[in-house]
Amino acid sequence: QEKAQDQLIANQTTALLSDPASPVLGNSKGDVVVIEFFDYACPYCKAIEPRLEKFLKDDKGAKLIVKEFPILTPESLIATKAALAAVKQGRYEAFHNTLMNFKGRLTTDVIFDAAKDVGLDVNRLRKDMDAPEIADEIIANFNLARALRIVQTPGFIAGGHMLSATSAEIDFPKVAAAVRAK
């Protein structure tokens, strides 16, 4: 089953690693690439976020490609559209981190308050959220997740393999060491 999963990942390498619409956190030229499929309303995604941020801060060779995968709530989709629109204002990372570190129920007010708090022009953001390329990126991520048989969040890929441990058990420095050892 693991070999079949690795083959699915290999078949999607270009979409996973080279989609210019997928935001990148950490070192954009990093030698270790971790790909995360996540949802802003996912409690497991939020629980792992501090460890992920620490990993990116501590490992200067780490690159995180984030795949917005809003599957849990209607607000997840609004948050994803807002986050992808934030790219146009150069504030994706700040907005992403603010939403991921928010404790409580994700609401439309929370989303747009967070946007304002990180310095986004909210009126422009609301317009940009309706851009066709944002809908295209969301559809592409859903199709990619389906092709990889990712049905829940978070979903992590590193070194051409799906990380099968529960999110609470993932040791990112250890994962990075294993990828570098290959």
Side-chain angles (χ1 to χ4, degrees), residues 9 19 32 36 38 52 54 61 66 95-96 102 110-111 117 124 136 143 147 155 163 165 172:
I9 292 168
D19 180 353
V32 170
E36 178 188 21
F38 74 97
L52 203 48
K54 181 177 180 349
V66 287
F95 185 63
H96 170 83
F102 173 76
V110 165
I111 294 163
D117 290 348
R124 178 179 167 202
D136 292 347
N143 288 336
L163 301 185
F172 290 106

Side-chain angles (χ1 to χ4, degrees), residues 92-113:
Y92 178 86
E93 185 168 4
F95 185 63
H96 170 83
N97 290 345
T98 298
L99 286 184
M100 290 305 287
N101 289 300
F102 173 76
K103 305 289 186 234
R105 195 164 98 44
L106 189 66
T107 66
T108 303
D109 286 344
V110 165
I111 294 163
F112 291 109
D113 287 348

Side-chain angles (χ1 to χ4, degrees), residues 3-18:
K3 279 187 183 204
Q5 182 73 51
D6 290 352
Q7 187 57 53
L8 292 174
I9 292 168
N11 294 345
Q12 299 297 329
T13 299
T14 302
L16 286 166
L17 300 176
S18 304

Side-chain angles (χ1 to χ4, degrees), residues 69-88:
F69 190 42
I71 58 173
L72 296 175
T73 68
E75 292 80 13
S76 299
L77 182 58
I78 295 166
T80 284
K81 287 180 175 183
L84 292 172
V87 171
K88 291 185 178 185

